[in-house]
Structure formats: structure tokens, C-alpha cells
């Protein structure tokens, strides 16, 4: 039997080595709270909490606190050439610290400034990486752990399988979390036996009763197989894992020729990325929540293979826990 206690669970003060990964637009407060209440740690996605689910950021955190007093985390997407976005993120991080959040998952960019800001409170920063060169940079920035995003992940998947990525990152000596492909308890057991300190799940938690995504989206996850997951550049400009629906088949998965040309240009790239960020935020919000949405951009990873029913979070977590305890 594999022990549920790892370096990650000890650092974060949680019972199970399971992170409910941040998901734009699917991270609603009730879902985050349910993952934490069941012994894992739910991660808040600030844009999802405010823009999609309509909470003032601080009030949203307090609402989650009323649902559970267990630890929660916050996702900070830190790559941005926009000063306004950076200032907004700094404010969100400060509010999160004031509200007692002590776990931060950083994505893209250099996490050094986040580490410097939160470390004095004893908070931990784990950084999303898809290959060794980003991990080296994160280590130099002082992070406390790595989230290894592999080629089976939902969201922006990495290029490498879980085993290969672990071998590349293990020599750095930090706790490493496996993100991607964990749909059923056997996947968790396998990740821990590779040597991972924990797992980060996204897709599995969309197909739960607490997630407020539309029933059509949840059904599509339950029915999909790994082969139904394709990478599309049309939504955010970089490959995003989505379910191959009739809509995706019709519009294709490659960015249009003008968009591609603009993404290549040094001056136009920034403009095009900003355009994609705003447009995709609106499109994904509509496609995920609106039961009548016809443009079916449904993000999901290859973990769909192990997901066979919509269940309450507590049941999902109990099944994972049962696979670890004798
Ligand atoms: C719908 C969806 C939205 C996501 N949004 C984000 C995000 O905003 N920030 C982030 O760091 N990761 C995001 N991810 C990645 C997840 O946090 C997690 O790493 C990933 O889903 C793990 O793969 P799995 O879906 O196979 O479990 C998203 C994933 C999905 C499925």
C-alpha cells in the first residue's frame, strides 16, 4: 500500500496528496471548498472566482472559508506584459494572504516575486512546469515545489509523458506533483509509485455534483475516451486540450492564417495574445456554463478515460483515499 502522507501533504497540512487544480472557468467556490473539506486542497482561480462566478475576490474567499476551514490555495498566472494585470495580481495575492491562504500555484513567467511576497508568512509556492528548463528557472526563483504538467493534462498540456517528466525533474530535489491523466484511483497509485509527492486533478472534478459547469459538459466528459481529446490553437492561441465535439471538428484546431502571422510578429504578438485572452475568457465562460451553448469548447484532459460517472466530490475523494489506505 502507498502512504497518503508525502512531503507535499506535510508541507500543506492536508490529509490526502490531491490538489483540486485551478480551472478557468470551472473553479466555482463550492467545488474548491468540497475538495479541501474532503482532505485535499482546492485552488482558487481568481478570474474564475470574480469574472465567471461573480464574487468580489475577498468576499469569495470568505464564502469558501464559511464552507470549510481546511487549507485552500490560489493560482497566480504571472506571465503578462500588462502592468495593470500585474498590479491586479499583486493585490489578489495580498488579499489572499490577509484571508489566510498559504499555498500558491504559479504558472508561466518567473515566480521569484511571488515567492518573495508570500514567503515571510510561511506560505508555499509550487510552480507549473512542462520541462526542465522552466523548473531550473523556478528553482532559482526560490519555489518550494513543482507541478509537472504532462502530455495528458487538461488545459495547456505539456509535451512529455508523466514518467519522463519525473525523471527530468527529480534531481532538483523538490516535491513534485503530477498534473495530467489522473481520472481514477489506479492513476493516483501509479503516480505515487513513480515517485511523485502528489497529484493535481482538473477534469475529474468537473464531473462532480459541486461543479457548476453545464450538465452537457459533464456528460461529454463521462462519455469521452482519451482519443476524443484534441489540442486546439483556436481558443487561446496556444494548444489547449478540448473534447472533439462536432463544433471543434467543423472549425478545426489550427489558428487562422492571420492570427498565426500576427502571433509570429514581434510587435503584433502582444496585441494578438491580449485579444485571445479576452475573447477566450468570454467564450469559455459561455461554453462551460450555458446549457444552450452551441459553440462547444469544452476543456478536458485524457483523464476522461477513467471518469465514468458524475459523483459528489466526497465520493471521488473517498475512492482515491481507499486506494491508498490498507
Ligand atoms: C477546464 C480547465 C481549466 C483549467 N484552467 C487552468 C487555469 O486557469 N490555471 C491553471 O494553472 N491550470 C488550469 N488548468 C489545469 C488544471 O489545473 C490541472 O493541472 C489539469 O487539469 C490536470 O489535468 P487533468 O485535467 O487531466 O486532471 C485547467 C484545466 C481544465 C480542465
Amino acid at each position: 500500500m502507498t502512504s497518503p502522507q508525502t512531503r507535499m501533504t506535510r508541507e500543506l497540512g492536508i490529509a490526502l496528496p490531491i490538489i483540486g487544480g485551478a480551472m478557468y472557468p470551472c473553479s466555482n467556490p463550492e467545488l474548491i471548498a468540497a475538495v479541501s473539506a474532503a482532505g485535499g486542497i482546492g485552488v482558487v482561480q481568481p478570474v474564475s472566482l470574480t469574472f465567471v462566478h461573480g464574487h468580489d475576490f475577498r468576499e469569495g474567499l470568505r464564502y469558501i472559508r464559511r464552507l470549510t476551514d481546511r487549507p485552500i490555495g490560489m493560482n497566480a498566472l504571472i506571465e503578462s506584459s500588462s502592468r495593470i494585470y500585474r498590479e491586479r495580481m499583486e493585490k489578489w495575492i495580498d488579499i489572499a494572504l490577509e484571508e489566510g491562504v498559504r499555498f500558491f500555484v504559479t504558472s508561466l513567467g518567473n515566480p521569484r516575486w511571488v515567492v518573495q511576497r508570500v514567503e515571510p508568512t510561511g506560505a508555499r509556492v509550487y510552480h507549473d512546469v512542462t520541462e526542465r528548463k522552466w523548473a531550473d528557472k523556478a528553482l532559482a526563483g526560490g519555489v518550494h515545489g513543482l507541478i509537472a504538467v504532462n502530455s495528458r493534462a487538461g488545459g495547456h498540456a505539456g509535451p512529455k509523458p508523466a514518467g519522463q517528466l519525473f525523471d527530468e525533474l527529480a534531481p532538483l530535489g523538490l516535491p513534485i506533483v503530477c498534473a495530467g491523466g489522473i481520472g481514477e484511483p489506479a492513476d493516483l497509485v501509479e503516480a505515487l509509485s513513480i515517485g511523485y509527492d502528489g497529484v493535481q486533478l482538473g477534469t475529474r472534478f468537473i464531473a462532480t455534483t459541486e461543479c457548476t459547469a453545464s450538465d452537457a459538459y459533464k456528460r461529454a466528459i463521462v462519455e469521452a475516451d482519451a482519443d476524443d481529446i484534441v489540442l486546439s490553437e483556436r481558443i487561446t492561441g496556444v494548444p489547449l486540450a478540448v473534447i472533439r465535439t462536432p463544433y471543434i471538428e467543423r472549425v478545426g484546431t489550427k489558428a487562422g492564417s492571420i492570427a498565426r502571422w500576427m502571433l509570429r510578429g514581434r510587435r503584433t504578438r502582444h496585441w494578438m495574445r491580449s485579444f485571445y485572452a479576452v475573447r477566450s475568457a468570454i467564450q469559455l465562460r459561455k461554453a462551460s456554463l450555458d446549457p444552450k451553448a452551441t459553440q462547444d469548447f469544452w476543456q478536458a484532459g485524457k483523464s476522461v478515460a477513467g471518469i465514468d460517472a458524475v459523483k459528489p466530490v466526497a465520493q471521488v475523494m473517498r475512492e482515491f483515499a481507499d486506494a491508498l489506505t490498507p
Side-chain angles (χ1 to χ4, degrees), residues 76 78 93 104 106 110-119 125:
I78 52 177
I93 289 173
F104 294 84
T106 47
N110 189 332
R112 184 189 300 272
W113 69 267
V114 180
V115 174
Q116 286 171 349
R117 212 173 182 94
V118 308
E119 212 171 38
V125 178

Side-chain angles (χ1 to χ4, degrees), residues 67-80:
L67 299 174
T68 179
D69 62 358
R70 305 304 306 145
I72 58 169
M74 173 192 154
N75 181 216
L77 280 168
I78 52 177
E79 195 274 341
S80 175

Side-chain angles (χ1 to χ4, degrees), residues 111-112 127 132 134-143 146 171-174:
R112 184 189 300 272
H127 190 64
R132 172 70 186 251
W134 306 124
D136 287 338
K137 203 168 152 189
L139 186 67
V143 299
L146 299 170
L172 297 177
L174 292 173

Side-chain angles (χ1 to χ4, degrees), residues 21-24 26 45 75 107 128 152-155 179-181 200-203 206 217 299 301 303:
M23 290 188 282
Y24 181 90
C26 299
Q45 212 289 353
N75 181 216
S107 312
D128 274 345
R152 293 176 68 80
Q200 172 162 282
L201 279 62
T203 306
I206 300 173
Y217 185 1
Q299 297 182 73
S303 54

Side-chain angles (χ1 to χ4, degrees), residues 246-315:
Y247 177 73
I248 294 286
E249 287 202 321
R250 197 164 69 245
V251 299
T253 52
K254 292 271 164 268
S257 52
I258 296 176
R260 254 181 299 164
W261 175 76
M262 289 187 73
L263 282 167
R264 271 200 305 270
R266 230 162 29 94
R267 286 220 196 94
T268 50
R269 188 186 301 148
H270 172 63
W271 190 89
M272 195 62 214
R273 284 205 186 133
S274 305
F275 166 75
Y276 267 125
V278 173
R279 193 190 63 169
S280 67
I282 295 168
Q283 280 178 333
L284 288 169
R285 177 173 71 166
K286 181 167 170 51
S288 305
L289 301 176
D290 182 352
K292 293 199 250 357
T294 51
Q295 298 196 342
D296 302 338
F297 283 135
W298 286 330
Q299 297 182 73
K302 288 184 183 288
S303 54
V304 290
I307 303 172
D308 57 4
V310 176
K311 298 173 184 174
V313 168
Q315 188 182 338

Side-chain angles (χ1 to χ4, degrees), residues 7-165:
R7 283 186 294 178
M8 180 187 96
T9 59
R10 284 188 285 271
E11 276 204 332
L12 305 186
I14 56 178
L16 294 171
I18 299 176
I19 300 174
M23 290 188 282
Y24 181 90
C26 299
S27 292
N28 53 288
E30 298 80 7
L31 175 60
I32 295 159
V35 173
S36 290
I41 186 162
V43 177
V44 171
Q45 212 289 353
V47 187
S48 188
L49 184 64
T50 54
F51 177 63
V52 179
H53 299 287
H55 295 272
D56 164 75
F57 187 65
R58 187 187 298 277
E59 288 310 315
L61 294 182
R62 289 185 178 171
Y63 171 49
I64 297 172
R65 282 276 76 104
R66 287 197 295 279
L67 299 174
T68 179
D69 62 358
R70 305 304 306 145
I72 58 169
M74 173 192 154
N75 181 216
L77 280 168
I78 52 177
E79 195 274 341
S80 175
S81 31
S82 150
R83 196 171 48 82
I84 297 170
Y85 179 81
R86 162 79 184 248
E87 284 170 4
R88 170 66 62 89
M89 190 52 77
E90 286 174 7
K91 223 172 256 156
W92 277 334
I93 289 173
D94 289 346
I95 292 172
L97 288 172
E98 284 162 20
E99 296 302 321
V101 175
R102 293 291 180 268
F103 178 48
F104 294 84
V105 175
T106 47
S107 312
L108 309 169
N110 189 332
R112 184 189 300 272
W113 69 267
V114 180
V115 174
Q116 286 171 349
R117 212 173 182 94
V118 308
E119 212 171 38
T121 68
R124 306 279 90 181
V125 178
Y126 282 29
H127 190 64
D128 274 345
V129 296
T130 51
E131 47 190 310
R132 172 70 186 251
K133 67 176 171 189
W134 306 124
D136 287 338
K137 203 168 152 189
L139 186 67
V143 299
H144 312 100
L146 299 170
I147 312 252
V149 182
N150 63 51
S151 53
R152 293 176 68 80
H156 291 114
K160 299 185 179 169
Q164 188 187 339
L165 195 49

